[in-house]
Amino acid sequence: MIKNLARTFGALTLALVPLLSSPAAQAAPVPEVTTLADAVGLVKVTEEDRTGYTRTKFKHWNGGDDAGDGCNTRNEVLLAEAVVAPTVESGCKLTGGSWTSYYDGQEVTSAGSLDIDHMVPLAEAWDSGASSWTAARREAYANDQGADVSLVAVTARSNRQKSDQDPADWMPPSPDAQCRYVGEWVATKLRWDLTADDRELEALKLYAEGPCEDTIVRYTPAA
């Protein structure tokens, strides 16, 4: 009887192992929370190199986080960031709705007037470490909805003014947006373990030690 009990206990233990080790049973990663100044201090500094960069090396937009909704990443971000939800028609065509482009404070009522901006542009990511990534990791970066600061719906005009520039050369035209922007830029760099060059780091320090000293940065390292 003792042997039978031992055998039963052993079987139950083995049955529990996959449950305990499954993703659902594991605790979700805890975000890192720190001041902007301390976050800037965590960003590694290297020279940038754009050799070999093309946008096609970052596959986007893919099928998004919800494979069953019929929407790609772009439209999923638009749905997530809408102030007034649009109507979703066949093929995930979005009609109606409204958004606020925080870079310039503009209210937008047409999804087609918005760009989905990569907080840290694809070219900048390439310069800062993504050139050594696998194609799959670059695709994950380009479609990252795991952090709500990685992709942002903004006016096409402000996105194209920004282009691939870092905060040493471009900041949102709305002063009220600048501290948020610097915080989200640094959060994205830390999430993806991307580096900064000297000019970029000095610009970030100016904001962190000046007008944005009270800004808090939250990030979770990407898997």
Side-chain angles (χ1 to χ4, degrees):
M1 182 172 179
I2 292 174
K3 288 182 179 179
N4 288 338
L5 286 172
R7 188 178 296 115
T8 301
F9 179 77
L12 286 171
T13 301
L14 290 172
L16 285 170
V17 168
L19 292 175
L20 293 173
S21 61
S22 68
Q26 296 173 4
V30 177
E32 302 287 342
V33 181
T34 187
T35 64
L36 178 58
D38 285 346
V40 170
L42 295 174
V43 179
K44 301 168 189 173
V45 182
T46 61
E47 293 184 5
E48 295 185 350
D49 183 2
R50 195 158 296 184
T51 303
Y53 168 74
T54 61
R55 283 181 65 84
T56 57
K57 291 182 177 177
F58 293 80
K59 182 182 177 182
H60 66 290
W61 305 109
N62 64 18
D65 282 356
D66 185 349
D69 67 359
C71 299
N72 63 13
T73 299
R74 169 186 161 81
N75 281 353
E76 287 184 355
V77 173
L78 287 171
L79 288 168
E81 296 192 3
V83 177
V84 176
T87 299
V88 183
E89 299 179 352
S90 177
C92 200
K93 179 181 179 181
L94 306 182
T95 58
S98 68
W99 293 261
T100 300
S101 168
Y102 94 79
Y103 287 0
D104 48 13
Q106 296 297 305
E107 298 297 322
V108 181
T109 56
S110 170
S113 299
L114 293 160
D115 280 356
I116 303 302
D117 182 39
H118 293 91
M119 174 55 59
V120 174
L122 302 180
E124 170 70 20
W126 178 272
D127 298 349
S128 307
S131 60
S132 65
W133 293 352
T134 63
R137 188 164 179 82
R138 286 196 289 268
E139 180 179 352
Y141 177 84
N143 297 275
D144 181 21
Q145 295 185 68
D148 59 11
V149 304
S150 296
L151 301 171
V152 57
V154 295
T155 57
R157 179 181 180 183
S158 64
N159 184 42
R160 291 161 198 182
Q161 287 174 341
K162 171 183 173 179
S163 186
D164 57 9
Q165 300 176 93
D166 68 35
D169 297 308
W170 187 88
M171 287 290 288
S174 172
D176 292 340
Q178 292 179 355
C179 290
R180 172 182 170 182
Y181 182 79
V182 172
E184 294 183 356
W185 178 279
V186 174
T188 305
K189 287 252 166 163
L190 292 175
R191 172 169 168 76
W192 289 92
D193 195 25
L194 295 171
T195 61
D197 63 17
D198 288 328
R199 288 185 67 248
E200 176 187 347
L201 191 71
E202 287 306 310
L204 295 173
K205 285 180 177 179
L206 285 175
Y207 285 95
E209 296 168 2
C212 303
E213 62 180 352
D214 294 329
T215 298
I216 299 299
V217 173
R218 295 174 176 82
Y219 69 95
T220 302

